[in-house]
Amino acid sequence: NAAYPSEEKARHFDLRYLMRIQDHFKRIPTPLQRQILRRGLMGCAFFLLSLIFLLLGYDVVLVLPGFGFMLFCMGSAMRLFYIANGNRYVVVEGICTEVTKSMLFQRAKAVTLETGGKMLRVQLKQYKRSCKAGTSLRLYIQENTKVYERDGAMFLYDYVLMEQNLPSVIDEPGTP
């Protein structure tokens, strides 16, 4: 009977801890929340697939890569939560002025943003992004990311997340 109060206290502590994490998660900007959830769910999917293969009797050597991917995805989600929760990121907003495409498949590989009167050239992580000139972009960059300068332009090779907004529209007065 003496163990019961400490067990109750442990459950109460776990609940408070989970509620605190949930509160911290709600304070993170929505695009970063989606990215954290995406990475965490990917880790859970790898875990479930590996567990299913293990229960079906597959060799452990074939299951280990799934567990490795699960650890990588979950670690990546926790690292992004740590960065976002501690406000260890910078948000840069700008208008896309130029899109550099690959020669073979014509996929966007770099974009040039005009932000605060300066030109920022960003190397894209995912070539499948469809960016067009005039599109408003928001970059979430880790605060210790290195930015290089060359020929009056800033170069960025790493970012946490890129959010693409609606194209900017210039309002012109209507003609009768």
Side-chain angles (χ1 to χ4, degrees):
N1 200 14
Y4 180 75
S6 64
E7 193 174 294
E8 179 75 23
K9 190 176 181 181
R11 261 191 254 133
H12 185 64
F13 172 75
D14 287 341
L15 185 60
R16 283 187 306 184
Y17 180 71
L18 291 175
M19 294 300 285
R20 196 169 61 226
I21 288 176
Q22 184 180 11
D23 289 340
H24 288 288
F25 186 74
K26 286 180 181 178
R27 287 188 223 136
I28 296 172
T30 306
L32 290 175
Q33 285 180 2
R34 282 194 302 255
Q35 188 71 9
I36 292 168
L37 286 174
R38 204 174 289 137
R39 292 178 186 188
L41 290 174
M42 186 86 95
C44 290
F46 277 118
F47 174 74
L48 289 175
L49 285 174
S50 298
L51 190 62
I52 289 170
F53 285 154
L54 190 62
L55 292 175
L56 288 175
Y58 283 88
D59 193 8
V60 175
V61 175
L62 296 175
V63 176
L64 286 178
F67 280 118
F69 284 128
M70 181 264 310
L71 289 173
F72 175 77
C73 290
M74 296 303 273
S76 176
M78 288 189 305
R79 180 177 169 270
L80 184 55
F81 178 77
Y82 173 75
I83 290 168
N85 185 39
N87 290 331
R88 293 175 183 88
Y89 63 91
V90 178
V91 178
V92 176
E93 294 185 19
I95 304 294
C96 178
T97 58
E98 180 186 359
V99 179
T100 306
K101 297 186 176 192
S102 63
M103 292 186 72
L104 187 57
F105 295 110
Q106 293 296 309
R107 294 182 184 156
K109 67 178 186 175
V111 295
T112 304
L113 298 176
E114 183 178 339
T115 175
K118 294 189 177 188
M119 301 303 279
L120 176 66
R121 187 161 176 82
V122 181
Q123 187 75 31
L124 296 178
K125 290 182 181 181
Q126 303 161 344
Y127 291 124
K128 64 183 179 200
R129 274 196 191 278
S130 59
C131 290
K132 296 178 181 162
T135 304
S136 177
L137 296 175
R138 180 180 295 146
L139 291 169
Y140 293 87
I141 305 166
Q142 194 171 345
E143 67 183 2
N144 60 355
T145 300
K146 295 185 182 191
V147 179
Y148 302 96
E149 186 173 357
R150 184 176 55 187
D151 299 330
M154 310 295 273
F155 284 83
L156 180 68
Y157 295 101
D158 189 29
Y159 56 91
V160 176
L161 177 70
M162 180 184 286
E163 184 180 23
Q164 186 173 340
N165 298 331
L166 296 173
S168 61
V169 177
I170 300 173
D171 293 330
E172 297 180 10
T175 56

